[in-house]
Amino acid sequence: MAPDQTGQRLDRVLAVLLPDLSRSRLQDLIGQGAVTLDGATIKDPNHRVKGGQRYGVTVPAALPARPRGQDIPLAVVYEDKELIVIDKPAGLVVHPAAGNPDGTLVNALIAHCGEELIGIGGEARPGIVHRLDKDTSGLLVAAKTERAMGSLAKQFANHTIERAYHAMVWGSPRTGQGVIEGQIGRSPFDRKRMAVLRGGGKTARTGYKVLEAFGPKERPIASLIECRLETGRTHQIRVHLTHLGHPLIGDPQYGRARTAPRAKNPEEEAAFALASGFSRQALHAFILGFQHPSLHKSMHFESPWPADFAGLVAAFRALKNP
């Protein structure tokens, strides 16, 4: 870096030196660990540079615009010539992106539905109308025709899609049910995380209801909650429940501040051990409902809990409630 750039933000300096890359793109690269300072990774776009320092920027190769089909098993709940409903397992990424060029649900859908799926709704994410986070399990609908894509996209935009989730969280909200409202946008402190913002962001509403609370009645240790989305923002349920003070068990991004309390009996010890080792956010999309694009009838699907989620609920149900 030149001496006259001393004290400036790293992302601003790089944007000047690398005019082919936007500042937002450079911020993403910094957050991904693609920028080094004298050989050491640096992830703070607000880092102040000093004259004489040497920075390296590694730009990943562009992803192919057209994903290829891959033979990946799918749990098909419903399928016709217009659309397909999948029960997505935790761990499966929905579409190709940086860090996940293949092995995604899109790759599996192309192999299952045929090459004619490519181009439906765009070549990069063919058939994808909505997404579930990689480690969220449950129901997802994909379009097989442009008509279905347009109809489903409109239903999502109008918030007429029925979506309900089951979540296992630490603690329990004081009120048995309610609506969480808060603008959601990129966290000003960590670009990889979303947050409820005082200003800016997008309107988000999540309805919730406590189905079961586990542990002492006066201060439950954990609870099973049903959430219904009125909007569909990135990480919405995870962000809203954390904002409420009850992060999802196992959430690596938003639940790190909450850990299991000290066990007082063997049942608590077993439940806390399972929760501490839970390898994903405890969130399952168990209901999906929409209007069929051509049959003009309401479609409703429900998904049973996967084994890991069911085991977590069972462990907390075994707690002795004094």
Side-chain angles (χ1 to χ4, degrees):
M1 294 296 160
D4 62 354
Q5 293 172 321
T6 295
Q8 296 184 35
R9 282 174 56 111
L10 175 60
D11 56 347
R12 288 182 181 272
V13 173
L14 291 179
V16 172
L17 297 175
L18 301 170
D20 290 340
L21 298 175
S22 69
R23 188 175 166 195
S24 60
R25 174 61 170 147
L26 286 164
Q27 289 174 342
D28 288 339
L29 289 173
I30 293 170
Q32 294 167 18
V35 177
T36 59
L37 165 58
D38 294 328
T41 300
I42 184 169
K43 293 189 175 183
D44 180 11
N46 193 39
H47 170 80
R48 303 293 168 166
V49 306
K50 296 180 180 179
Q53 291 177 326
R54 297 178 63 87
Y55 292 85
V57 180
T58 302
V59 181
L63 291 172
R66 183 169 175 160
R68 60 191 177 90
Q70 291 178 291
D71 187 13
I72 300 170
L74 288 175
V76 178
V77 177
Y78 173 85
E79 182 177 12
D80 60 27
K81 64 180 182 180
E82 296 271 6
L83 56 86
I84 182 171
V85 177
I86 301 296
D87 199 343
K88 187 187 86 68
L92 181 62
V93 175
V94 170
H95 59 73
N100 296 285
D102 53 20
T104 70
L105 177 63
V106 160
N107 299 107
L109 287 173
I110 293 172
H112 177 85
C113 300
E115 293 292 314
E116 58 270 21
L117 183 70
I118 295 177
I120 301 299
E123 287 194 342
R125 303 174 183 179
I128 299 303
V129 186
H130 67 123
R131 294 178 293 173
L132 294 177
D133 292 340
K134 173 184 175 182
D135 289 323
T136 296
S137 56
L139 296 168
L140 181 147
V141 61
K144 296 171 64 176
T145 66
E146 287 293 351
R147 178 170 63 175
M149 173 66 73
S151 173
L152 291 169
K154 185 176 181 180
Q155 292 178 59
F156 273 98
N158 292 337
H159 311 306
T160 57
I161 298 284
E162 181 185 17
R163 287 178 290 172
Y165 295 71
H166 280 154
M168 281 289 289
V169 304
W170 289 115
S172 186
R174 292 181 180 179
T175 56
Q177 62 183 39
V179 176
I180 310 168
E181 296 186 75
Q183 306 284 109
I184 289 181
R186 292 285 175 187
S187 167
F189 307 106
D190 184 347
R191 299 294 296 174
K192 290 185 177 181
R193 289 163 57 98
M194 308 301 286
V196 173
L197 305 176
R198 292 184 177 180
K202 296 181 179 180
T203 300
R205 288 172 55 90
T206 304
Y208 72 89
K209 178 170 65 175
V210 178
L211 302 179
E212 294 182 62
F214 310 108
K217 292 183 179 180
E218 66 278 5
R219 192 174 183 182
I221 297 169
S223 55
L224 172 65
I225 292 179
E226 178 182 308
C227 294
R228 289 184 177 261
L229 291 180
E230 297 184 26
T231 55
R233 309 305 178 200
T234 301
H235 299 174
Q236 179 172 319
I237 291 175
R238 299 163 67 187
V239 172
H240 269 170
L241 289 176
T242 297
H243 182 70
L244 194 64
H246 303 286
L248 291 165
I249 290 175
D251 194 327
Q253 278 188 285
Y254 301 99
R256 289 176 292 184
R258 286 292 291 268
T259 57
R262 181 173 297 179
K264 298 178 181 179
N265 53 57
E267 290 80 10
E268 288 187 355
E269 184 175 357
F272 297 166
L274 188 58
S276 297
F278 206 70
S279 60
R280 67 178 181 102
Q281 63 264 12
L283 185 63
H284 179 66
F286 81 103
I287 286 180
L288 177 64
F290 53 85
Q291 191 76 9
H292 194 284
S294 59
L295 300 180
H296 305 298
K297 69 176 184 178
S298 296
M299 311 292 287
H300 179 91
F301 304 96
E302 295 192 20
S303 166
W305 293 338
D308 62 344
F309 193 98
L312 183 65
V313 174
F316 276 93
R317 280 175 173 166
L319 297 185
K320 297 177 179 177
N321 299 326

